[in-house]
Amino acid sequence: MTATAESEPKTLSWKVGGMDCAGCAAKIRGAVERLPGVDEVKLSIMSETLTLSLDESKTKPEAIEKRVGSLGYTTSALAPAKQAGSSESAGGPHQAPGDACCGGHDRKHDHGEHQHGDRASCSGHDHASHEHGHADAKADHGHGLPGHVHEVTPEGVSWYQTNKGRLVLATGALLAAAWTASLLWPAAAHWAFILACLIGVAPVARRAFAAAGAGMPFTIEMLMTIAAVGALFIGAAEEAALVVFLFAVGEVLEGVAADRARASIRALGDLVPKTAIVETDGTTQQVDAASLKIGQIVLVRPGDRIPADGEITDGVSGIDESPVTGESVPKTKSAGEPVFAGSVNRAAVLRIRVDKAAEDNTIARIIRLVEEAQEARAPTERFIDRFSRVYMPAIVGFAVLVALVPPLFLGGEWSVWIYRALALLLIGCPCALVISVPAAIAASLSAGARQGLLMKGGVVIEAAARTGIVAFDKTGTLTKGTPRVTDVIALEREEREVLALAASVEAGSSHPLAEAVLERARTDGIRFSPATEASAIPGQGVVGKLDGEEIFVGAPRHATSRASFDEQATAFVAQLESAGKTVAAVIVDGTLVGLIALRDEPRGDASEAVAELKAMGIRSTMLTGDNARTGAAIAGSLGLEHKAELMPDDKVAAIRALSSQAPVMMVGDGINDAPALAAADIGVAMGSGTDVALETADAAVLKSRVRDVVAMIRLARATMGNIRVNIAIALGLKAVFLVTSVLGYTGLWVAILADTGATVIVTANALRLLRFNASKIG
């Protein structure tokens, strides 16, 4: 290997034990970014991973591990297999920075369009298979400030079995013993309180000095250490011991509360069975579900959970997909239809061909997207982080002034004002303020994922909450996306031949309108041969050749340039379109040979969703490439505005025009609406766990229900309301107790109780979102 090759940066990843909050991530990032040769630092809090680009000629990997370890965290290098393909994978936890994965509009689309009106077919996504690298989220045991080190709590371990739990029990026992000694042996009570304080503050002090050594002196641990030791020096040993005990109790309580949000995500992973029955040459064998390979056939018995994403090859059964989509009504599925890992087989034995590896199944991708969404910080969260970096030094400076100015210039007692300054340090900690936003965001993301609503981070939640206009695509969004052929008008050829010609050029397409034509041809028993040189003309239709004849199937308004329409044909088109039907003209070598009419009925909940949006003060509009008459018929039945006959770039222009009036949410199928989804303030894809629905837009509605768009906005607004309440609680309590501490009305133990209490209150308030029913009105 050449010297040049040796110095090329490599992407390396580590599992970081104890990184459980935004403060931890900020601390680690700040520490490793200072090392030479380190670039593109990326941290995933939920999966506890650190990924960075490293020039090993300047800094060795061991130096990274040493630096992170000095901060109180554990590190273990991830195997190369878990790093490979990061930049190619669609959102893995070790994805290289800069890749489009979660939110914003930095998205790549690979879409081949094939349209009749607003229809299109996707050329597909060739997603690289990648390692998930997901590990169970660990409990959050702290305040979320830089310098606050969290221990890893294994699943199933009770709080009192953790180091911090044992510390609470030990300091509590010493405190009780000291109080008992004060009654039985008063002379020893003072030393018993000092011992309880020193034992309790020792681990806190170690973390404080580790953070200070990393360039972060203003941490809650440092404030706590100064306050406890200072109290000992002014003779307040009893209060010092009580403060340390309450601080330890607060940490445990916060950890228990915060772990509930992570547990809801862990529960998603538990939906996928650990084992699977593989069928090979008529024999079956039970294997680890994580080891399943693409192409293998698995046997799923009634009552069992499906172990992998795949396609049914044999059997008919009711499938409960509620773990994936939140839809409670089982769907009857048969050979050729897709199924998702974690779904429950309700009725009969099924044979399923595995289509995706365990690390890339739908449940794994949902978990991964929720994990990554934690990294897409909301603007409010970023502002609070910047505020806290100024606020902490300001509080320390104010406390110094409180300790020095009254004794030096106003004749105050040193012990009194030092005591008040120490109380001020404790109450001034912005723990509750810092955790108020990420706690609510995490709970909201978890609640949404369980209800089939995926939002990719705090940025998306804030954008959804501000939505003033919702723009809907028609086909597959407001309508069912499963049209059927209602009329075949034969003009120059027989009816069966007109259908055969259309089916020939539509063969192989997965677009709903194409499938409707193919289904009608199969139902009528019409034989046809696939056309050659078939290709889509974006926004117009599809063209191909059969037996030397050129066939075009597309919207009449685009077909008029290829063939003449007489009065009879024009009248047929007007009559069909006025009935809300989509018309496709079939042209052979420049001659109009027939018309095919299709109708796609609105979804059952579409009109209800539009009414709910109106009640929330949100405008609704429909953007469709279909003809004006069909668009007007559908929009009129639903009671919303509309724009019809729009090409893909016209939809983008319409979105931009709407954006000048209010923030716009665009809702589409994630395929032909990709440009409009990207142009909107927030793009929402409809789809039951498809790659496009999960990875293209800012958010996804897995149940494909229009009312869930309303539910998403309702959840986002509830989240922002929760955040505002949390900020008010945090700042309000700080303001009250800052004043009372300076005036001497509250002491050290009240100060730490107020600080810890505020943190627990805002965390508990945020966790209320876990029970939020977004589909409930009011």
Side-chain angles (χ1 to χ4, degrees), residues 105 468-471 619 621 623 643 651-666 676-682:
H105 294 132
I469 300 173
V470 176
R619 284 173 53 197
T621 187
L623 305 179
K643 290 187 177 183
K651 287 187 179 182
V652 172
I655 289 292
R656 288 174 178 163
L658 292 170
S659 295
S660 65
Q661 304 170 33
V664 177
M665 172 185 286
M666 174 66 194
L677 288 170
D681 294 277
I682 172 174

Side-chain angles (χ1 to χ4, degrees), residues 219-303:
T219 63
I220 177 59
E221 283 82 6
M222 185 61 76
L223 299 185
M224 183 68 223
T225 302
I226 293 172
V229 174
L232 292 180
F233 275 102
I234 62 173
E238 182 176 355
E239 284 198 76
L242 181 59
V243 163
V244 171
F245 172 70
L246 291 175
F247 178 77
V249 169
E251 286 195 303
V252 171
L253 288 177
E254 292 159 22
V256 170
D259 191 47
R260 289 181 56 193
R262 294 171 181 266
S264 66
I265 295 301
R266 285 200 299 265
L268 282 175
D270 293 338
L271 293 173
V272 180
K274 299 296 185 286
T275 61
I277 300 174
V278 175
E279 187 175 64
T280 308
D281 297 328
T283 62
T284 59
Q285 179 183 4
Q286 185 167 293
V287 301
D288 186 347
S291 67
L292 289 174
K293 295 179 174 59
I294 295 174
Q296 286 185 314
I297 302 297
V298 294
L299 197 68
V300 183
R301 299 165 298 192

Side-chain angles (χ1 to χ4, degrees), residues 724-745:
R724 285 189 287 271
V725 170
N726 277 349
I727 292 173
I729 291 172
L731 291 179
L733 284 175
K734 297 297 178 190
V736 169
F737 285 98
L738 279 172
V739 173
T740 57
S741 295
V742 172
L743 296 178
Y745 293 116

Side-chain angles (χ1 to χ4, degrees), residues 7 15 23 61 114 194 198 211 244 275 278 297 325 407 425 442 457 528 561 637 681 685 701:
S7 63
K15 178 79 175 174
H114 164 196
I194 291 177
L198 292 177
V244 171
T275 61
V278 175
I297 302 297
T325 67
L425 282 179
F528 61 89
S561 62
S637 68
D681 294 277
V701 176

Side-chain angles (χ1 to χ4, degrees), residues 102 372-374 376 378 441 445 455-462 698:
C102 58
E372 291 168 348
Q374 307 276 337
I441 295 294
L445 293 171
M455 291 181 284
K456 300 179 182 179
V459 175
V460 176
I461 290 175
E462 286 203 18
D698 301 307

Side-chain angles (χ1 to χ4, degrees), residues 58-92:
K58 298 179 180 178
T59 299
K60 297 297 181 184
E62 293 77 12
I64 301 291
E65 296 174 4
K66 184 177 180 181
R67 174 62 63 91
V68 176
S70 69
L71 301 177
Y73 301 94
T74 62
T75 58
S76 58
L78 293 174
K82 292 192 177 185
Q83 302 168 19
S86 299
S87 61
E88 299 172 13
S89 64

